[in-house]
Amino acid sequence: MKKLINAPEAVLDEALAGIAAAHPELKVDAQNKVIARADGTRTGKVALISGGGSGHEPLHGGFVGLGMLDAACPGEVFTSPVPGQMLTAAKAVDGGSGVLFIVKNYTGDVLNFQMAAELAAEEGITVETVLVDDDVAVQDSTWTAGRRGTGATVFVEKIAGALAEKGADLAAVAEMGKRVNAASRSFAVALTACTTPASGKPGFDLPEDEMEVGVGIHGEPGRRREKLRSAKEIVTIALDAILADQPLAAGDEPVVLVNGLGGTPLIELYVVFNEVAAALADKGVVIARSLVGNYVTSLDMAGVSITVCKADADMLSLWDAPVDTPALRWGA
């Protein structure tokens, strides 16, 4: 497989150097592998920190900035960051009002963030945690006890981040993050496997005429393999699974993310979004806010994930609040 890299073992370090060069509004600690806001966290503001394995860009470093994260901790490709990274980040961005860890539900991430919270407490830093577990495709899959954390992470980081920016306390920010997660459901379909820099070959074999239904963002198996379907049929499969778990009624105002997994052209994502909008309109549901593009990727995997958040008025107001990050920007 062809990759734009120098050496597999140098990808993360060199990508972090690239982020630092491209985004002077960020402060990149290359030694400790922490990406933070260059302007720091203002005194009295709750700080938000997230992180996870690399390969899901722009998650999480692309969401560091005004109205979202104060810091992000990237691990090696598809590998959890270590507790020392999160502790370094917490010490760097704590504004005196505590820190919120936003953690995708993968076993390594959960354990390492939990250890980091304990270490932070020993340093006098109060930490609360929001666990994101929005994927309805499978339960207790590879690397996961319970549901996987996927696209809803963007919703949690944006909405909780906006509330923190307004000066809410740690308990309120954590509670809002949990509300957003509880209101969100996701489902993904892969058309191809991804290729990690270290392996140089696809992570699994997927015949040209098949798709993986309910795939995970590390290439974990989904519900089943089946023949490739049309965009309309794929949306029906995904929405049926999402709405069976989180029904929507006429008059609801969801936020919808149609997310590329890294290798899908934007034109195809808009085809998918059109089908999602039409299917929800048939139920009397009008999408209130939307994102279409690559936000939570799986390296070069072709496919799509759909995330639906059954938002309330508070969530929509916070969604509209100013945000200024490399990957998400409006109103600032």
Side-chain angles (χ1 to χ4, degrees), residues 8 20 141 154 183 208 278 298 329:
S141 69
V154 179
E208 288 293 323
S298 183
R329 182 178 293 114

Side-chain angles (χ1 to χ4, degrees), residues 36-258:
R37 293 171 60 165
D39 59 357
T41 304
R42 72 176 187 271
T43 301
K45 176 190 171 299
V46 171
L48 274 68
I49 299 173
S50 193
S54 296
H56 304 305
E57 291 73 22
L59 198 76
H60 294 273
F63 300 125
V64 174
L66 174 75
M68 287 191 80
L69 298 176
D70 293 271
C73 302
E76 295 293 336
V77 173
F78 293 175
T79 302
S80 172
V82 297
Q85 285 177 262
M86 284 80 91
L87 178 61
T88 297
K91 293 167 69 173
V93 303
D94 178 32
S97 293
V99 172
L100 181 67
F101 283 167
I102 299 173
V103 185
K104 300 188 304 302
N105 189 33
Y106 295 93
T107 301
D109 290 21
V110 172
L111 292 175
N112 286 345
F113 270 98
Q114 182 179 33
M115 186 177 297
E118 294 168 359
L119 294 172
E122 293 175 3
E123 299 276 353
I125 301 172
T126 302
V127 175
E128 292 284 347
T129 298
V130 172
L131 188 67
V132 182
D133 58 353
D134 54 305
D135 184 9
V136 300
V138 293
Q139 185 89 5
D140 300 328
S141 69
T142 310
W143 303 336
T144 308
R147 291 178 170 174
R148 303 176 291 212
T150 58
T153 313
V154 179
F155 294 166
V156 173
E157 291 177 357
K158 172 63 184 82
I159 294 172
L163 188 59
E165 206 72 60
K166 290 179 179 293
D169 64 22
L170 180 58
V173 176
E175 178 58 29
M176 177 56 72
K178 293 172 184 176
R179 279 172 56 189
V180 174
N181 176 66
S184 302
R185 301 291 188 275
S186 296
F187 195 94
V189 173
L191 307 184
T192 69
C194 62
T195 301
T196 64
S199 70
K201 60 183 179 180
F204 56 89
D205 177 49
L206 188 59
E208 288 293 323
D209 63 342
E210 292 185 5
M211 61 183 186
E212 183 78 30
V213 178
V215 73
I217 57 172
H218 306 95
E220 310 100 303
R223 291 183 171 187
R224 61 186 182 274
R225 292 263 181 100
E226 61 179 72
K227 295 298 182 182
L228 182 62
R229 305 282 196 94
S230 67
K232 184 181 182 69
E233 291 172 308
I234 289 172
V235 167
T236 297
I237 291 168
L239 284 183
D240 282 353
I242 288 168
L243 299 181
D245 203 85
Q246 177 72 285
L248 293 177
D252 284 338
E253 297 184 300
V255 182
V256 173
L257 166 63
V258 169

